Amino acid sequence: PYVCAEWEMGGLPWWLLKKKDVALRTLDPYYMERVGIFMKEVGKQLAPLQVDKGGNIIMVQVENEYGSYGTDKPYVSAVRDLVRESGFTDVPLFQCDWSSNFTNNALDDLIWTVNFGTGANIDQQFKKLKELRPETPLMCSEFWSGWFDHWGRKHETRPAKDMVQGIKDMLDRNISFSLYMTHGGTTFGHWGGANNPAYSAMCSSYDYDAPISEAGWTTEKYFLLRDLLKTYLPAGEALPEVPAALPVIEVPEFHFTKIAPLFSNLPDAKQSVDIQPMEQFNQGWGTILYRTTLPEAVTSGTTLKITEVHDWAQIYANGKLLARLDRRKGEFTTTLPALKKGTQLDILVEAMGRVNFDKSIHDRKGITDKVELLSGNQAKELKNWIVYNFPVDYSFIKNKNYKDTKILLTMPAYYRSSFKLDKVGDTFLDMSTWGKGMVWVNGHAMGRFWEIGPQQTLFIPGCWLKEGENEILVLDLKGPAKASIKGLKKPILDVLREKALETHRKDGEKLKLTGEKVAHEGAFTPGNGWQEVRFAAPARGRYFCLEALSPQANDNIAAVAEFDVLGADGKPVSREHWKIRYADSEETRSGNRTADKVFDLQESTFWMTVDNVPYPHQLVIDLSKVETVTGFRYLPRAEKEYPGMIKEYRVYVKSADFNY
């Protein structure tokens, strides 16, 4: 039932979160009852398409990378049983995980497969599986040919030659593989998900730097792969010709003059004494407005604290914009000016995509808990809210009071226009003059746009366009610099307007460790895979510093793919609220190698230092609260020769922050 694929909530329906105590991906009776209903319907539609019945389904997967979520064999067994009960009895069932965790939930009667990405050390990935099952067929069920893009981060690419080499390594070892992705695509509408920690929402384009692009175009990566596969064909067989690309058109620039301001087009109001998340108002996606009046005057300097903003909020007092808060940046407070008693306080929150991986998939939208005014030592919770729901349904968007105007708004508004076509074809809507919002064309929700990039265009399949008049509606929550759009023949996927986080190091900061007590020191054994270190004596603290003293190779680079801190019970402590306090160096020229990659739950991404910055290297993690630390776990990069692997190191643990 859970698929991930960077879909919001991993493909699970949002309405599950209406039940406040629901425990997703567990044996929670409510959740499993719904899974059973769903799987029965899946079986009704797809079980007749198993290969022995004349269809093309040759294997069926049970759950998805569950080892990265939890250890619960009874749950995985129950899902397996539901898959069988749904009619999938004629083809092999399998479960996929990472080489580091596939044994956590491995069932004896399922095929075990491993997922990993371009550049990984193939032999190392399958080493443990071959030891446990020497006769088993080997398969990489997801070989990551590229990667997905996040709003506000550089466009992701992966080298074609590395992808092809990895596939050759597998073919030469008789290892089966499935490319993820072979064909990039688009996460239309509101379906783009998010990662956490730290919260980071996915772009609408899922081009993925795949061999076949978002629009179905063949790429250099495709032809390199094709040339490789030719050499493995049986004698006398040849690959068919590559199909021609679908037609692509330009759309001349057209302008928007019909506008419906959001605050002038409010839907029916709902009353709520307490703040509640979007789901409790039966809203799945879109924007929600929370409105109250201040029961007493607010002095200048009072802090407005929201627990929590999910995901992007604009705060208004009597219609005047005071602040914008971005969950990606951990912004949940703002300082207020002096406000009179009776001031209308509006908090407009946009849901940007539910977390699709790990426990954070319980990701309710809007405001999840409460809103407080903090002054001195006093905290006063605001109550008595009027709530307005703005869903993403086309029927809701089109029925607004659109009026002719040439005045550009800096307030949230819906915009309507049309464009005429003599012929149809695929195109890319250039949204680079717009702020933040969503687009609908001929009733189809196309996706999100955000000026910060890296994505600046929205892919429109030609089959959704028509000769003659085409309607387009835009919701812009910030306001455009220019209210016009044109259709381009090529996408813009790599223009980043928001300054990407270059380092987690403030200007002039340099960590000072002289005189600090060393909690542990040692050296790592060279090799791929997790290494666990236990301290001789526990240390207590909130700030954990890993100081890399020397490299395994003769270079300057340090790299960490994933990192765990072990708590009092010897198990990893929660990383959900971790933050990087300091990193002495982060490589952002060649890719997204920032230090927060050490706890992003993705083993194929990593923190890496710049190659001309010498050792030692330091990384300071704010664990968010004081922990009893008994050790840590370190995962180097997955490639052969484990590039950037640290050799000698020291660890420091402190309750107060370090000196800089």
Side-chain angles (χ1 to χ4, degrees):
Y2 167 83
V3 297
C4 192
E6 285 66 58
W7 269 41
E8 82 135 51
M9 223 165 130
L12 297 176
W14 67 268
W15 46 259
L16 290 169
L17 298 178
K18 290 166 68 173
K19 189 170 187 293
K20 293 183 179 181
D21 62 348
V22 69
L24 304 175
R25 301 179 75 190
T26 71
L27 288 171
D28 175 339
Y30 174 82
Y31 174 71
M32 288 303 292
E33 182 186 12
R34 268 82 199 148
V35 169
I37 296 167
F38 172 75
M39 285 307 303
K40 187 176 180 181
E41 187 60 36
V42 169
K44 195 185 298 181
Q45 296 188 31
L46 296 183
L49 301 179
Q50 292 171 91
V51 68
D52 68 318
K53 293 179 168 66
N56 57 6
I57 295 175
I58 61 172
M59 296 172 75
V60 175
Q61 181 178 304
V62 175
E63 249 280 358
N64 183 63
E65 295 186 331
Y66 192 74
S68 303
Y69 190 82
T71 300
D72 190 346
K73 284 190 179 183
Y75 164 71
V76 179
S77 301
V79 174
R80 173 205 59 200
D81 294 345
L82 281 173
V83 170
R84 285 182 177 149
E85 290 167 17
S86 301
F88 297 101
T89 55
D90 303 338
V91 297
L93 304 187
F94 73 102
Q95 58 191 128
C96 71
D97 263 308
W98 300 343
S99 62
S100 63
N101 60 26
F102 76 91
T103 57
N104 291 5
N105 300 286
L107 303 183
D108 291 342
D109 58 345
L110 297 183
I111 293 173
W112 303 340
T113 65
V114 183
N115 297 347
F116 51 85
T118 292
N121 182 337
I122 304 299
D123 290 329
Q124 178 66 31
Q125 291 294 321
F126 287 102
K127 182 182 177 185
K128 192 172 183 180
L129 177 53
K130 288 172 75 174
E131 290 171 358
L132 294 172
R133 287 185 169 181
E135 303 303 319
T136 192
L138 301 179
M139 178 176 176
C140 175
S141 38
E142 291 184 19
F143 185 62
W144 305 318
S145 61
W147 206 245
F148 43 86
D149 281 342
H150 302 248
W151 294 114
R153 295 187 185 175
K154 293 178 73 167
H155 175 55
E156 296 276 3
T157 60
R158 298 290 186 271
K161 62 180 179 57
D162 291 353
M163 180 199 78
V164 170
Q165 183 59 52
I167 291 172
K168 184 178 189 306
D169 287 348
M170 285 189 279
L171 288 169
D172 290 344
R173 291 161 173 77
N174 289 318
I175 298 171
S176 298
F177 66 92
S178 173
L179 272 185
Y180 190 99
M181 306 287 292
T182 301
H183 189 331
T186 310
T187 312
F188 290 111
H190 49 269
W191 280 106
N195 269 1
N196 193 63
Y199 182 82
S200 179
M202 280 74 178
C203 295
S204 294
S205 171
Y206 204 76
D207 179 82
Y208 205 83
D209 192 35
I212 303 171
S213 77
E214 176 177 18
W217 302 342
T218 51
T219 65
E220 176 203 2
K221 193 176 276 191
Y222 172 87
F223 285 106
L224 276 175
L225 174 61
R226 182 179 167 91
D227 288 344
L228 171 74
L229 296 181
K230 279 180 190 174
T231 65
Y232 291 87
L233 286 173
E237 287 194 18
L239 293 176
E241 291 300 309
V242 179
L246 293 170
V248 184
I249 62 170
E250 290 183 339
V251 179
E253 185 176 13
F254 56 93
H255 298 268
F256 290 74
T257 57
K258 294 188 179 297
I259 303 178
L262 187 140
F263 285 105
S264 304
N265 286 268
L266 296 177
D268 293 339
K270 297 174 183 175
Q271 308 284 335
S272 182
V273 173
D274 296 315
I275 280 279
Q276 296 188 79
M278 183 183 282
E279 292 80 3
Q280 295 306 313
F281 300 100
N282 207 33
Q283 182 183 354
W285 307 283
T287 302
I288 185 168
L289 174 62
Y290 300 93
R291 172 174 287 175
T292 192
T293 52
L294 295 180
E296 53 193 56
V298 169
T299 57
S300 177
T302 297
T303 297
L304 181 75
K305 180 183 178 183
I306 304 176
T307 312
E308 286 186 348
V309 171
H310 287 193
D311 303 299
W312 190 80
Q314 299 184 96
I315 300 166
Y316 302 86
N318 289 337
K320 180 184 178 184
L321 179 67
L322 298 182
R324 292 189 173 112
L325 302 179
D326 187 342
R327 180 183 176 189
R328 297 176 313 130
K329 300 176 181 178
E331 296 172 345
F332 301 123
T333 64
T334 188
T335 303
L336 298 175
L339 298 172
K340 295 178 181 177
K341 177 182 178 180
T343 295
Q344 178 178 289
L345 181 73
D346 286 336
I347 306 175
L348 185 68
V349 185
E350 182 202 16
M352 289 203 306
R354 289 181 179 83
V355 174
N356 51 255
F357 201 74
D358 199 57
K359 301 290 194 296
S360 300
I361 60 174
H362 298 80
D363 186 13
R364 293 172 175 86
K365 294 304 185 186
I367 296 175
T368 61
D369 187 18
K370 59 188 173 183
V371 178
E372 297 172 289
L373 297 173
L374 307 181
S375 182
N377 295 323
Q378 292 188 319
K380 182 175 180 59
E381 184 177 349
L382 292 175
K383 301 272 191 177
N384 302 317
W385 297 90
I386 304 171
V387 179
Y388 301 92
N389 304 103
F390 301 87
V392 296
D393 308 67
Y394 170 71
S395 57
F396 177 86
I397 311 302
K398 71 174 182 177
N399 293 323
K400 295 288 168 283
N401 186 18
Y402 290 92
K403 293 184 178 179
D404 283 312
T405 176
K406 293 184 179 179
I407 301 172
L408 280 181
L409 297 182
T410 55
M411 295 288 282
Y414 299 99
Y415 294 75
R416 188 174 74 194
S417 188
S418 63
F419 55 94
K420 289 185 178 178
L421 295 176
D422 296 327
K423 61 177 182 178
V424 298
D426 296 347
T427 193
F428 299 88
L429 294 185
D430 183 359
M431 303 302 300
S432 56
T433 66
W434 295 76
K436 188 179 196 309
M438 287 186 69
V439 175
W440 296 258
V441 174
N442 293 333
H444 298 282
M446 302 314 309
R448 297 185 174 99
F449 63 88
W450 196 356
E451 61 188 356
I452 65 174
Q455 179 182 354
Q456 300 290 344
T457 53
L458 283 172
F459 175 60
I460 306 286
C463 59
W464 286 352
L465 298 174
K466 54 190 178 183
E467 292 181 4
E469 197 94 354
N470 291 267
E471 178 197 55
I472 181 166
L473 304 174
V474 178
L475 168 63
D476 195 326
L477 294 166
K478 285 188 73 177
K482 183 182 180 184
S484 68
I485 293 176
K486 57 191 173 189
L488 307 178
K489 285 191 172 182
K490 290 186 177 180
I492 304 172
L493 300 177
D494 59 354
V495 173
L496 198 60
R497 289 206 183 126
E498 182 178 72
K499 184 174 173 59
L501 187 64
E502 292 297 331
T503 75
H504 288 81
R505 176 180 177 178
K506 297 172 185 173
D507 287 344
E509 271 193 335
K510 185 169 177 60
L511 179 62
K512 298 181 177 71
L513 293 173
T514 306
E516 298 288 2
K517 181 183 176 184
V518 177
H520 186 84
E521 57 187 322
F524 296 114
T525 304
N528 296 108
W530 283 94
Q531 296 194 28
E532 187 170 298
V533 173
R534 299 280 179 164
F535 295 173
R540 277 186 63 77
R542 171 173 172 169
Y543 295 89
F544 184 104
C545 173
L546 174 69
E547 183 178 34
L549 302 173
S550 64
Q552 296 283 352
N554 186 26
D555 60 24
N556 292 317
I557 297 170
V560 178
E562 285 289 298
F563 199 85
D564 272 325
V565 170
L566 304 178
D569 59 359
K571 296 177 181 178
V573 302
S574 172
R575 306 191 297 183
E576 187 166 350
H577 298 291
W578 282 16
K579 292 179 182 175
I580 299 297
R581 169 60 184 89
Y582 176 89
D584 75 293
S585 174
E586 293 163 280
E587 173 57 72
T588 58
R589 302 164 303 175
S590 61
N592 296 314
R593 314 295 187 218
T594 50
D596 54 340
K597 302 299 179 294
V598 306
F599 57 83
D600 69 349
L601 304 167
Q602 305 290 336
E603 293 190 1
S604 68
T605 61
F606 48 86
W607 166 51
M608 188 174 82
T609 59
V610 179
D611 57 12
N612 61 3
V613 178
Y615 272 76
H617 293 295
Q618 300 93 17
L619 176 71
V620 178
I621 303 170
D622 178 357
L623 306 177
S624 81
K625 63 179 181 178
V626 172
E627 301 274 8
T628 298
V629 179
T630 59
F632 65 91
R633 298 170 73 232
Y634 164 49
L635 182 67
R637 287 172 59 176
E639 294 94 330
K640 287 181 182 176
E641 308 302 327
Y642 31 87
M645 187 179 184
I646 299 161
K647 187 176 181 181
E648 298 166 301
Y649 64 86
R650 288 195 195 108
V651 169
Y652 304 83
V653 180
K654 281 187 70 178
S655 293
D657 197 2
F658 290 91
N659 295 314
Y660 301 91

